Amino acid sequence: MNTRTHALQARSALIGTIRCTTVAAVLAIGFVFGTSAVSFARISLSAPPKLPFVEVDNLSDLLARLEADGPVLVYFSADWCAICSKIERRVFPDSRVVEALAAFRLVKVDLTRLDAEREALMKELRVAGPPSMVFFGNGKREVDGTRLVGPIDARTLVASALRAGAE
């Protein structure tokens, strides 16, 4: 047997050992917490809830969204924004955030491709860039002290949402 074949066999054996160890760990954790391994795996691997953002790309579309009843969150984001990606992966799926934003109409402005209409939206709402969140209360005005810019955590987003929703 040549050295390459031996190395491939050793690698395959290692991968098999890792898989068996992972399955054993899932079973053990499931046993300890009083749940079956299948339901434990389903809980830990299930996708987080997605917030129902509606995308707008111009001022007239945003104004139409603001006309309906209830508070509105306008979220400025971009594909190239690393902080936005972190917010979308870690903050938005948080159950406290999902609950706090349940009564909001959620609007997203994607700044990945910046054009004149999106620039006009940014200028109108005084947004420098992503990530930015602007909260509008029932009076269709921005609620003072709720604007979020840059990195945030779930607690900060929930606090702004509660304040904007109460107005």
Side-chain angles (χ1 to χ4, degrees):
M1 181 178 339
N2 67 27
T3 307
R4 182 181 165 129
T5 304
H6 183 63
L8 288 174
Q9 286 177 341
R11 182 174 171 226
S12 294
L14 178 62
I15 291 171
T17 302
I18 291 170
R19 285 183 182 153
C20 287
T21 304
T22 303
V23 169
V26 168
L27 288 170
I29 292 170
F31 178 75
V32 168
F33 289 102
T35 182
S36 72
V38 173
S39 64
F40 177 78
R42 190 178 308 123
I43 290 167
S44 63
L45 298 176
S46 63
K50 284 200 103 101
L51 292 173
F53 279 96
V54 174
E55 201 165 309
V56 300
D57 57 8
N58 61 59
L59 189 55
S60 62
D61 285 350
L62 175 62
L63 293 174
R65 296 286 173 189
L66 291 174
E67 288 303 315
D69 289 335
V72 177
L73 164 61
V74 182
Y75 171 52
F76 288 83
S77 177
D79 288 347
W80 45 261
C81 172
I83 296 170
C84 300
S85 295
K86 184 177 178 182
I87 290 169
E88 291 163 16
R89 277 190 334 269
R90 296 186 181 164
V91 177
F92 286 159
D94 188 293
S95 61
R96 297 168 297 173
V97 171
V98 172
E99 183 179 335
L101 294 177
F104 281 78
R105 283 185 322 288
L106 304 173
V107 177
K108 181 177 181 179
V109 180
D110 185 358
L111 301 175
T112 301
R113 281 180 252 117
L114 193 56
D115 58 19
E117 290 183 324
R118 288 178 181 89
E119 282 185 25
L121 255 172
M122 291 173 65
K123 184 176 180 180
E124 180 70 25
L125 296 180
R126 299 176 324 277
V127 169
S132 295
M133 296 184 200
V134 183
F135 290 85
F136 292 86
N138 286 323
K140 307 308 169 214
R141 296 182 339 268
E142 181 178 355
V143 179
D144 290 338
T146 61
R147 182 179 289 234
L148 302 173
V149 178
I152 60 161
D153 58 16
R155 187 181 72 233
T156 306
L157 179 52
V158 168
S160 284
L162 291 175
R163 184 167 179 181
E167 190 146 309

